[in-house]
C-alpha cells in the first residue's frame, strides 16, 4: 500500500526543469545612455550578478553607454566578473563607449568564470586609435615631414609610439617604414598640421642593404599615407583569465588601445560573427592597436566562424603557448625547467598528470614525453622543479625545449575575412588546425605564419596536423603562407603533416611595386607565394598563383607531394633539400628547380624599423 501511495505522489508532482537564468536589467541599477559616466551604475549591476552567483543574464539597455576612462583606478577595468558560472551579457543595440584616454583600460574582465557569453554589443573609443596624415618629405639621413590630417590629429601629451606608411588609394598599410619610438630622436610642429620627425636607426644601421633601401625610398615615400600610433600595448576590450567556455557572438569592436579579445589559461573559445574594424567610411586606418585576438595557453578548442578583421595594428589572431627549456637534469626522473627569456611571464606551473613533451634544442626534433608527478616554481631562482612518474626520455639534455600537451588546442577558422593587418592575419603555434574559406588581403607581413622556437616570446609548439584549404590570399606583404622554426639547425620533423590545397594566391603588380620586397628577391619569406621549411609530410596541391616569379619555395622537407598547382605565367617552384618520398606532377607553368642555391628564408624584416 505504501509503495502505491508513493507512486501516486510521484505521479502528481510537477516535472522539475532547469531554472531560468536570473535576469538583471542594468537600467534598473542606473545604467543610462543619458549619463556622462556609467561606471558606478554598471558596477552595481555586476555586483548583483556576483550575488546571484550562477546562471545570470545581464541585459544592457539600448543606446550609447559612456564610461570615463580617465577616472578608473588601477587596474583600469570598467567592470570585473569573477567566479560566475553561466554568465550572459546581452546588448540591445548597445554601444559601450570609452571617453577620455583609453590607454591600459580593459572594458570587461573575466576571471575563473565558466560558460560565459558576450553578445550583441558594440565597443568604441572617443579617441581615434591613431593620428593620420601624408608624408611630404623623407630624408634618408633621418628626417620625415608629415602633413597631419586635421580630422585625425595627434593627441596632446602622448608620445608617438610608431610611424607606419600606407597606400593612400586603398588605405592599406605598407610598412616600408615602421619606425619605433626608440628611433625617434625628436619631433616638432613648426606650423599647424605639420610634423617634423628626426630619427636615428639602431637596428641594422651599418647594413649596406638597409642604407641602400633608405636611399631608394626617398623618392617613393612622399605622397604615402601615414599612421602615427600613440597607444601601444594598452588594455583589452574583453579579457579572460582562467575561464572555461568562452563565447563571443555578434560583437563589434571599432577601437581599442590594445587588443580586442585576449585570454590566458582558458578553455573552449568560440568567436562567431566578431568584427574588429574601424567604423565604415570613417577613414580611420587602425582599429585595434595591437592583436585583434590573442590566446595564450589555451585549452581544448578555439573556433572562429564568420568573423571580420580590418586595420589591426599587429596580428589579427595569434594562438600559442610558451616553450620552456631544460635547465638541469637532477636525476633520471626530475629536472629543473626555465623560461629562457629576460622578460615576460614564465608560464604556468605544470599540474600533476600533465604530459610534457621534449624537443631537441638545435633541431626542434621530437625527443619524447613524460608525465608530471609534481612541480613547483621558485621565484628566487626563477626555475621550476619538476618530477615525473617514469624515466626521462633518452638523450634529453640541458637546453632542450619543453611544451605541455595541455596547452595545444585545436584551432578552426572558417568563412572569415582579414584585411590590412600591420602584422599577420593568422599566427599558428598549435596542432590540429583547419583554415578554410577565408579571405586574407593586404597584410603588411606574411598572410599566415606557422612558427615556433626562440622568437616571439618562445612561442610554440610547432604546428602539426594543419589543413589550409580553399582560401583567397591577395597582396600580402610577405609570403601568403610562411612556415619556419627558429632554432639553429631545424630538422625535417620540426613541423609535421601540413596540407595546403585549393587556395588562390594573388599579387597585384601595383601593390608589389609600392613595397620594398622586390629589392630583396632572394628573401623567400617575402618574395614567394608559399615559403615553407623544416616540415615532414607536406602536401601542396591544387593552388592557383598570379603575379609571382617564385610561387613556391620549399626547403628541408621530408615526404612531399607537389601536384596540380598552376601559375598565370611561367614561374619557378624551388625545392631545396627535399628527402624521402617526393611526388611532383601536373603543375602548370611551374618549373621545378632543385638545387642548393643560397636563398634566404629565415625571418628578417624589410623596411625601416628602429
Amino acid at each position: 500500500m505504501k509503495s502505491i501511495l508513493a507512486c501516486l505522489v510521484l505521479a502528481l508532482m510537477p516535472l522539475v526543469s532547469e531554472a531560468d537564468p536570473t535576469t538583471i536589467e542594468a537600467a534598473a541599477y542606473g545604467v543610462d545612455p543619458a549619463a556622462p559616466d556609467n561606471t558606478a551604475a554598471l558596477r552595481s549591476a555586476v555586483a548583483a550578478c556576483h550575488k546571484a552567483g550562477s546562471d545570470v543574464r545581464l541585459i544592457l539597455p539600448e543606446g550609447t553607454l559612456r564610461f570615463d576612462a580617465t577616472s578608473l583606478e588601477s587596474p583600469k577595468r570598467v567592470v570585473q566578473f569573477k567566479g560566475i558560472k553561466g554568465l550572459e551579457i546581452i546588448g540591445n543595440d548597445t554601444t559601450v563607449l570609452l571617453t577620455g584616454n583609453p590607454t591600459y583600460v580593459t572594458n570587461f574582465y573575466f576571471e575563473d568564470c565558466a560558460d560565459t557569453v558576450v553578445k550583441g554589443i558594440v565597443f568604441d573609443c572617443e579617441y581615434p586609435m591613431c593620428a593620420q596624415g601624408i608624408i611630404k618629405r623623407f630624408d634618408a639621413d633621418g628626417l620625415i615631414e608629415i602633413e597631419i590630417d586635421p580630422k585625425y590629429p595627434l593627441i596632446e601629451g602622448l608620445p608617438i609610439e610608431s610611424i607606419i606608411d600606407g597606400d593612400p588609394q586603398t588605405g592599406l598599410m605598407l610598412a616600408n617604414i615602421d619606425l619605433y619610438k626608440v628611433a625617434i630622436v625628436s619631433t616638432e610642429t613648426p606650423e599647424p598640421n605639420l610634423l617634423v620627425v628626426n630619427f636615428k636607426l639602431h637596428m641594422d644601421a651599418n647594413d649596406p642593404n638597409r642604407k641602400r633601401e633608405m636611399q631608394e625610398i626617398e623618392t617613393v615615400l612622399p605622397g604615402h599615407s601615414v599612421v602615427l600610433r600613440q597607444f601601444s600595448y594598452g588594455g583589452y576590450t574583453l579579457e579572460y583569465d582562467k575561464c572555461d567556455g568562452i563565447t563571443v557572438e555578434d560583437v563589434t569592436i571599432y577601437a581599442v588601445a590594445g587588443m580586442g579579445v585576449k585570454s590566458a589559461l582558458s578553455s573552449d573559445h568560440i568567436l562567431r560573427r566578431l568584427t574588429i574594424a574601424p567604423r565604415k567610411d570613417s577613414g580611420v586606418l587602425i582599429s585595434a592597436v595591437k592583436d585583434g585576438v590573442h590566446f595564450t595557453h589555451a585549452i581544448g578548442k578555439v573556433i572562429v566562424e564568420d568573423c571580420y578583421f580590418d586595420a589591426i595594428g599587429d596580428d589579427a589572431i595569434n594562438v600559442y603557448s610558451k616553450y620552456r627549456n631544460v635547465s638541469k637534469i637532477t636525476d633520471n626522473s626530475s629536472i629543473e625547467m626555465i623560461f629562457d627569456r629576460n622578460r615576460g611571464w614564465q608560464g604556468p606551473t605544470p599540474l600533476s598528470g600533465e604530459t610534457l613533451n621534449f624537443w631537441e634544442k638545435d633541431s626542434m626534433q621530437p625527443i619524447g614525453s613524460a608525465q608530471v608527478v609534481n612541480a613547483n616554481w621558485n621565484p628566487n631562482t626563477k626555475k621550476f622543479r619538476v618530477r615525473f612518474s617514469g624515466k626521462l626520455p633518452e638523450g634529453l639534455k640541458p637546453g632542450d625545449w619543453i611544451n605541455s600537451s595541455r596547452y595545444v588546442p585545436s584551432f578552426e577558422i572558417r568563412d572569415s575575412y582579414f584585411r590590412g593587418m600591420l602584422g599577420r592575419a593568422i599566427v599558428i603555434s598549435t596542432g590540429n588546425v583547419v583554415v578554410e574559406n577565408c579571405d586574407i588581403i593586404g597584410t603588411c607581413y606574411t598572410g599566415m605564419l606557422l612558427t615556433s622556437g626562440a622568437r616571439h616570446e618562445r612561442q610554440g609548439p610547432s604546428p602539426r596536423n594543419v589543413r589550409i584549404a580553399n582560401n583567397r590570399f591577395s597582396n600580402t606583404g610577405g609570403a601568403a603562407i610562411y612556415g619556419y622554426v627558429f632554432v639553429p639547425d631545424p630538422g625535417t620533423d620540426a613541423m609535421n603533416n601540413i596540407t595546403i590545397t585549393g587556395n588562390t594566391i594573388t599579387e597585384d603588380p601595383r601593390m608589389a611595386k609600392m613595397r620594398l620586397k622586390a629589392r630583396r628577391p632572394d628573401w623567400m619569406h617575402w618574395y614567394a607565394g608559399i615559403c615553407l621549411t623544416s616540415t615532414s609530410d607536406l602536401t601542396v596541391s591544387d593552388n592557383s598563383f598570379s603575379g609571382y616569379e617564385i610561387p613556391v619555395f620549399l626547403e628541408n622537407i621530408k615526404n612531399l607531394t607537389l601536384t596540380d598547382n598552376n601559375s598565370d605565367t611561367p614561374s619557378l617552384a624551388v625545392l631545396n633539400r627535399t628527402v624521402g618520398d617526393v611526388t611532383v606532377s601536373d603543375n602548370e607553368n611551374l618549373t621545378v628547380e632543385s638545387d642548393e642555391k643560397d636563398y634566404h628564408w629565415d625571418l628578417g624584416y624589410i623596411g625601416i624599423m628602429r
Side-chain angles (χ1 to χ4, degrees), residues 507-524:
E507 175 97 293
D508 173 35
R510 175 185 170 275
M511 289 293 292
K513 187 176 180 180
M514 294 187 73
R515 290 190 164 114
L516 287 174
K517 66 180 181 178
R519 294 162 173 81
R520 299 280 184 103
D522 59 330
W523 283 28
M524 290 295 100

Side-chain angles (χ1 to χ4, degrees), residues 44-365:
S44 295
V46 170
C49 294
H50 283 97
K51 185 175 181 180
S54 62
D55 299 320
V56 184
R57 179 177 294 150
L58 174 62
I59 307 295
L60 302 182
E62 180 180 356
T64 298
L65 307 178
R66 291 168 176 80
F67 298 88
D68 182 5
T70 60
S71 67
L72 296 173
E73 68 283 357
S74 183
K76 297 173 73 173
R77 298 165 180 161
V78 175
V79 289
Q80 303 180 77
F81 301 88
K82 296 187 177 183
I84 301 177
K85 314 302 180 185
L87 170 66
E88 294 179 275
I89 306 173
I90 308 297
N92 177 26
D93 196 15
T94 305
T95 295
V96 171
L97 178 67
L98 284 181
T99 61
N101 186 345
T103 303
Y104 297 111
V105 173
T106 293
N107 286 273
F108 295 172
Y109 173 80
F110 304 85
E111 183 179 333
D112 291 318
C113 292
D115 301 322
T116 300
V117 177
V118 178
K119 184 174 182 179
I121 304 173
V122 172
F123 294 91
D124 203 356
C125 294
E126 178 184 39
Y127 286 7
M129 292 299 99
C130 57
Q132 296 172 198
I134 297 292
I135 297 176
K136 305 300 290 183
R137 178 186 168 205
F138 179 85
D139 187 329
D141 290 330
L143 183 141
I144 312 174
E145 288 186 0
I146 300 170
E147 182 181 337
I148 300 294
D149 187 335
K151 292 181 182 178
Y152 313 105
L154 289 164
I155 301 171
E156 188 174 350
L158 291 183
I160 297 171
E161 297 284 342
S162 66
I163 301 173
I164 310 105
D165 74 308
D167 174 17
Q169 183 172 317
T170 62
L172 294 171
M173 293 295 98
L174 296 171
N176 291 314
I177 58 169
D178 186 1
L179 197 67
Y180 282 53
K181 65 179 179 180
V182 294
I184 298 174
V185 176
S186 64
T187 62
E188 56 180 311
T189 53
E191 59 185 76
N193 300 322
L194 179 64
L195 177 70
V196 177
V197 179
N198 294 285
F199 68 90
K200 181 178 181 180
L201 294 185
H202 303 280
M203 187 180 79
D204 300 332
N206 297 315
D207 181 350
N209 287 318
R210 201 64 85 188
K211 290 182 177 180
R212 186 184 71 249
E213 287 169 359
M214 290 183 64
Q215 292 167 353
E216 288 177 349
I217 65 174
E218 279 187 337
T219 58
V220 174
L221 285 178
H224 282 201
S225 58
V226 67
V227 161
L228 302 101
R229 291 194 291 187
Q230 294 184 272
F231 305 106
S232 185
Y233 293 99
Y236 314 102
T237 302
L238 303 173
E239 183 181 5
Y240 300 87
D241 189 13
K242 299 186 290 293
C243 293
D244 299 320
I246 294 166
T247 298
V248 178
E249 187 172 286
D250 298 315
V251 165
T252 296
I253 301 171
Y254 287 132
V256 54
M259 298 179 183
V261 183
K262 190 256 186 186
S263 86
L265 299 168
S266 298
S267 68
D268 297 336
H269 306 68
I270 297 175
L271 307 180
R272 188 176 290 120
R273 296 182 298 280
L274 168 68
T275 293
I276 305 179
R279 286 185 179 273
K280 189 176 180 181
D281 300 324
S282 67
V284 173
L285 299 178
I286 291 288
S287 53
V289 171
K290 297 303 293 181
D291 289 358
V293 174
H294 187 100
F295 294 160
T296 178
H297 294 88
I299 304 164
K301 65 185 179 184
V302 174
I303 296 175
V304 179
E305 296 176 341
D306 198 20
C307 293
Y308 187 99
F309 301 90
D310 188 16
I312 307 294
D314 200 344
D315 305 320
I317 303 178
N318 190 354
V319 176
Y320 71 101
S321 60
K322 290 185 178 185
Y323 280 118
R324 275 76 70 87
N325 298 89
V326 177
S327 174
K328 179 181 178 181
I329 298 175
T330 53
D331 58 45
N332 66 5
S333 62
S334 60
I335 63 169
E336 288 185 351
M337 181 174 73
I338 190 170
F339 177 54
D340 189 17
R341 290 283 281 182
N342 293 324
R343 61 188 178 89
W345 176 52
Q346 72 275 1
T349 301
L351 303 174
S352 177
E354 193 170 315
T355 298
L356 299 188
N357 306 306
F358 303 96
W359 310 82
E360 204 279 325
K361 65 177 182 177
D362 291 330
S363 66
M364 199 61 81
Q365 297 286 94

Side-chain angles (χ1 to χ4, degrees), residues 388-411:
F388 299 94
S389 59
K391 290 185 178 180
L392 295 168
E394 188 174 342
L396 187 69
K397 60 187 179 301
D400 286 339
W401 300 92
I402 306 169
N403 84 287
S404 170
S405 293
R406 176 176 171 81
Y407 305 109
V408 187
S410 63
F411 184 19

